[in-house]
Amino acid sequence: MYPYVAGGTGLSACLPPWASADGKLLDNLRQAEMRARIHAEVMKQATDWENLCQLATPEGVLIVGLDKEENKKFAGKRLAAIAAIERKHWLDAAMDLILSEEQRVGAIYFMMDEENVKLQMRQPWIKFGTDAGGVDPEKVTNLVHPRTYGTYPRILGKYVREEQVLPLEEAVRKMTSAVANRLSIRDRGLLREGIYADVVVFDPETISDRATFEQPHQLSVGMRYVFVNGIAVIRDGRHTGAKPGRIVRGPGYAGRT
């Protein structure tokens, strides 16, 4: 899990799965009959698929991933606001935006409860992850989910130090050895002689996330050193330029013949 009350995926996830089958989503959205069928299914009170836009409501859908210049004005706006600007039903606004962009369109869905997030974090079987790719804050232009920057510092600062949802040692375990063990990767996740030296040094009194949903491109604070395979990648809070990472393969990897 990650420590946020909103998840991130494509705006196209608002539509029923069959609409995207065989790569035909854009073709379906261009056809009036298919579009009407999609509209009718999304607006049902109950569906057998996860109807994200109905669950989050249009006010709870934040648009972040737009490529075309003419659509950039909608970045950082809620789907309900875009619909009002365009004077359209919110679902038509969503489908038109997907069609205009010709891509899934990055979106953030606010549909979780803070108390439930805390309850989940306490469960012994839970592991922590970002569910996000890395970005270069000096080059990226699109908005992203703040999990990209703040997942682990947020857990250590907000949920461990400030709110004492779980002990520091347990939080670290769920970020490291618990993940490696679950994936049956035996040579990482612990500080132990003979395994890869992936080491993080942080200040538990100051570590905090800074990334928000509105302004995600903000680096966390309190991270002093990061060593990857024994090589310093972060030193005194700054990137060294080193790139010592390597592919990590679990026991199921078969390779290529």
Side-chain angles (χ1 to χ4, degrees):
M1 65 171 291
Y2 48 77
Y4 296 91
V5 294
T9 187
L11 183 61
S12 57
C14 277
L15 310 180
W18 59 259
S20 297
D22 301 320
K24 293 182 179 180
L25 176 60
L26 297 180
D27 290 338
N28 288 335
L29 292 179
R30 293 187 183 105
Q31 297 176 28
E33 182 179 345
M34 293 299 292
R35 184 170 170 135
R37 181 184 166 195
I38 292 169
H39 194 291
E41 180 158 345
V42 173
M43 297 308 295
K44 288 180 180 178
Q45 289 299 312
T47 60
D48 58 3
W49 51 280
E50 191 176 33
N51 197 336
L52 290 181
C53 275
Q54 288 279 38
L55 292 169
T57 76
E59 291 77 15
V61 180
L62 179 69
I63 304 301
V64 294
L66 299 168
D67 294 335
K68 295 188 176 179
E69 196 60 38
E70 62 266 29
N71 296 324
K72 292 293 180 71
K73 60 188 177 184
F74 297 132
K77 288 185 168 56
R78 304 294 178 113
L79 180 56
I82 296 172
I85 293 170
E86 295 287 281
R87 297 183 179 180
K88 299 174 180 176
H89 187 278
W90 64 264
L91 184 50
D92 288 317
M95 291 191 288
D96 286 345
L97 196 55
I98 295 168
L99 200 53
S100 174
E101 282 284 306
E102 297 185 312
Q103 52 119 341
R104 64 200 290 264
V105 180
I108 294 174
Y109 297 87
F110 291 83
M111 50 191 290
M112 286 84 114
D113 176 77
E114 179 67 26
E115 290 307 309
N116 196 50
V117 169
K118 294 176 184 178
L119 176 64
Q120 185 169 321
M121 294 178 79
R122 294 187 183 103
Q123 305 312 309
W125 59 84
I126 285 292
K127 287 85 178 167
F128 297 134
T130 66
D131 194 28
V135 297
D136 184 341
E138 296 182 359
K139 296 178 181 178
V140 67
T141 56
N142 276 339
L143 296 174
V144 297
H145 195 297
R147 67 192 181 190
T148 301
Y149 290 90
T151 292
Y152 299 109
R154 182 175 179 82
I155 294 169
L156 296 169
K158 174 179 171 63
Y159 293 103
V160 171
R161 183 182 66 244
E162 296 174 7
E163 301 189 15
Q164 300 181 355
V165 173
L166 70 169
L168 175 61
E169 296 84 355
E170 180 67 354
V172 171
R173 183 188 73 83
K174 290 179 177 182
M175 297 173 178
T176 56
S177 62
V179 179
N181 287 338
R182 181 64 181 85
L183 298 175
S184 297
I185 298 172
R186 306 303 181 195
D187 53 7
R188 284 176 170 82
L190 291 169
L191 293 175
R192 189 173 65 199
E193 184 176 357
I195 67 175
Y196 289 91
D198 297 333
V199 183
V200 174
V201 181
F202 63 90
D203 184 345
E205 298 302 318
T206 63
I207 192 163
S208 297
D209 64 312
R210 292 289 183 266
T212 66
F213 290 102
E214 294 74 23
Q215 295 182 304
H217 302 297
Q218 301 186 75
L219 297 177
S220 300
V221 297
M223 190 65 66
R224 299 290 180 81
Y225 299 92
V226 176
F227 296 86
V228 177
N229 295 317
I231 305 297
V233 174
I234 301 293
R235 181 183 290 118
D236 294 325
R238 302 188 60 132
H239 202 291
T240 64
K243 300 176 182 178
R246 62 183 68 184
I247 295 172
V248 179
R249 296 188 171 108
Y253 178 73
R256 292 183 177 181
T257 56

